[in-house]
Amino acid sequence: MNQNKYLRQWTIALPILSWLLYFGNVFFSSGYYSILLTALLLGSVLAAVYHSEILAYRLGEPFGTLLLAFAITVIEVGLIISIMLGAKGLETITLARDTVFAAVMLILNGIIGICIVIGSLRYREQTFTLKGVSTALITLTAVVVFVLILPNYTVSHSGGEYTSFQLLFIALICLSLYLGFTMVQTIRHRSFFISPRNKILEETMENVKTNKSSRKNIYVSSSMLVVSLGIVVLIAKLLSKDVEYLVIAVGAPRSAVGLIIAGIVLLPEALAAIRAARNDQIQTSLNLAFGSALASIGLSIPAIAIISVISGIRMTLGIDIKSTVLLGLSLFIITISLATGKTNIMQGVVLLGIFLIYLFITIVP
């Protein structure tokens, strides 16, 4: 109880401190100050997700799930757009593509791979509901192809770009598929996403309902969510040049910027998914992972597409052949690995191997 109280105080104090030190950048400008702001950025991301979870639980499903996904999407879109608007020319034309591709690779190979390995080390095998995973995979595969592969084969525009009309239409389809998946997950086929070992869930939920946050906590979380999201976007915009400078300084390609953004956005979900796997709740880990991947495309791309068309910013979405091979391999391996309803350590090791290859190829193309 005291730990939860301390955590609430921390998630309130840190975003406020971030705002104060953000304006202090006018007086202090150094590498050390940028490192401090980076730490505050990560802390504010965690605070935003914490407060959104409080509100999500209070609102219930499906509105809670939509709110949590919306909070994460605001962070991702804010980071991408702030960097795109702060750059000149065509420097960030591939930023949205690199970020979305990095998010998908991080989730399919990194997060799920780590969760499977950790769960297998502790419990040898873990079980999940196959129908839910299959539903998530077919939805994810479709939107990934629409956004990252199909642009390379349209003829209205060259260079892996959609025309404005095509971009808006694809964005609408992706958004519709994501909303449809959310409705299936939270209303129509909710049982597909509950662990087969978790038949005591209803009893647990009854116990949890008696501990719902007070009205005061709801008001505080609502206010702090706005405060946290606002400072995340502002600090990201401020640090965008430092991030690009660091990437160039180490000799990595610009696509590594997208990898960094994806890592920041997915950090909270990664920690929650790993924690669930350690507690023998691999179903929860998979729900978090696939939900994050779908939100990264189904919500972020439509938002970025609209802003891109309105502001006239060009956006390349099609990935190259090397990335297509890695993406296709990832989707194939994850589909085969999760086809039995059980996980084992070798599945996780293979996924982590693909993830390490992706990281290496990104840094040393």
Side-chain angles (χ1 to χ4, degrees):
M1 188 72 178
N2 292 334
Q3 185 179 3
N4 291 336
K5 182 178 180 181
Y6 173 78
L7 181 60
R8 286 196 298 270
Q9 292 174 346
W10 176 79
T11 56
I12 292 174
L14 193 142
I16 295 175
L17 177 63
S18 299
W19 274 95
L20 295 176
L21 292 181
Y22 168 77
F23 289 108
N25 183 70
V26 177
F27 307 100
F28 305 98
S29 180
S30 66
Y32 294 109
Y33 200 77
S34 295
I35 294 175
L36 176 61
L37 289 177
T38 301
L40 293 174
L41 170 65
L42 295 175
S44 296
V45 169
L46 296 176
V49 174
Y50 172 82
H51 291 295
S52 66
E53 286 178 340
I54 296 295
L55 293 172
Y57 173 71
R58 180 67 175 178
L59 292 173
E61 302 295 354
F63 305 105
T65 300
L66 291 175
L67 176 63
L68 184 56
F70 175 75
I72 299 301
T73 302
V74 169
I75 295 174
E76 183 174 10
V77 173
L79 289 171
I80 294 174
I81 293 299
S82 63
I83 295 177
M84 290 177 71
L85 293 178
K88 297 180 180 180
L90 301 179
E91 292 181 357
T92 59
I93 190 172
T94 62
L95 180 63
R97 177 199 68 186
D98 295 337
T99 303
V100 169
F101 176 62
V104 172
M105 296 298 290
L106 280 168
I107 291 168
L108 292 183
N109 301 298
I111 296 177
I112 294 181
I114 291 174
C115 289
I116 291 177
V117 168
I118 290 177
S120 298
L121 288 174
R122 298 195 68 178
Y123 306 102
R124 295 183 68 85
E125 284 189 350
Q126 291 180 296
T127 59
F128 56 88
T129 304
L130 187 57
K131 292 180 179 179
V133 169
S134 298
T135 303
L137 270 174
I138 62 172
T139 309
L140 179 61
T141 301
V143 296
V144 162
V145 171
F146 294 158
V147 172
L148 298 177
I149 297 178
L150 185 60
N152 291 324
Y153 300 96
T154 56
V155 296
S156 299
H157 203 300
S158 60
E161 292 185 54
Y162 282 129
T163 64
S164 296
F165 181 70
Q166 288 175 331
L167 182 60
L168 292 176
F169 184 77
I170 294 295
L172 177 62
I173 296 298
C174 290
L175 178 61
S176 299
L177 289 176
Y178 174 76
L179 294 178
F181 172 79
T182 302
M183 294 301 104
V184 168
Q185 184 182 32
T186 57
I187 298 178
R188 190 172 183 85
H189 295 293
R190 186 170 177 268
S191 61
F192 289 0
F193 301 88
I194 298 176
S195 172
R197 300 181 55 187
N198 228 12
K199 300 305 181 183
I200 59 172
L201 180 65
E202 297 302 325
E203 179 182 346
T204 303
M205 290 303 294
E206 289 298 324
N207 294 333
V208 172
K209 285 179 182 177
T210 61
N211 295 318
K212 278 193 173 182
S213 302
S214 66
R215 188 177 297 272
K216 178 181 178 182
N217 287 341
I218 296 303
Y219 291 146
V220 171
S221 290
S222 299
S223 302
M224 293 310 302
L225 178 60
V226 175
V227 171
S228 300
L229 292 177
I231 195 59
V232 163
V233 174
L234 290 177
I235 292 181
K237 182 176 177 60
L238 183 64
L239 295 177
S240 61
K241 292 183 179 180
D242 293 330
V243 171
E244 292 186 10
Y245 175 79
L246 178 63
V247 168
I248 295 174
V250 299
R254 289 189 177 276
S255 58
V257 176
L259 178 60
I260 294 173
I261 294 175
I264 293 173
V265 172
L266 295 174
L267 177 61
E269 285 92 340
L271 296 176
I274 293 171
R275 186 165 56 246
R278 290 188 61 197
N279 294 330
D280 200 17
Q281 295 292 331
I282 193 66
Q283 181 74 57
T284 301
S285 299
L286 294 175
N287 289 346
L288 285 167
F290 286 121
S292 299
L294 286 167
S296 180
I297 300 179
L299 289 179
S300 298
I301 289 298
I304 297 170
I306 293 174
I307 296 175
S308 174
V309 171
I310 293 176
S311 61
I313 300 176
R314 289 178 58 187
M315 186 168 65
T316 297
L317 290 176
I319 56 178
D320 57 22
I321 296 297
K322 173 187 64 180
S323 299
T324 301
V325 171
L326 286 175
L327 179 60
L329 178 62
S330 301
L331 290 170
F332 175 74
I333 294 297
I334 199 73
T335 301
I336 298 299
S337 298
L338 302 180
T340 62
K342 293 183 179 181
T343 61
N344 63 68
I345 193 168
M346 196 60 208
Q347 298 165 346
V349 170
V350 172
L351 290 173
L352 287 178
I354 298 174
F355 177 64
L356 292 176
I357 291 293
Y358 160 70
L359 286 181
F360 180 77
I361 293 300
T362 299
I363 298 173
V364 187

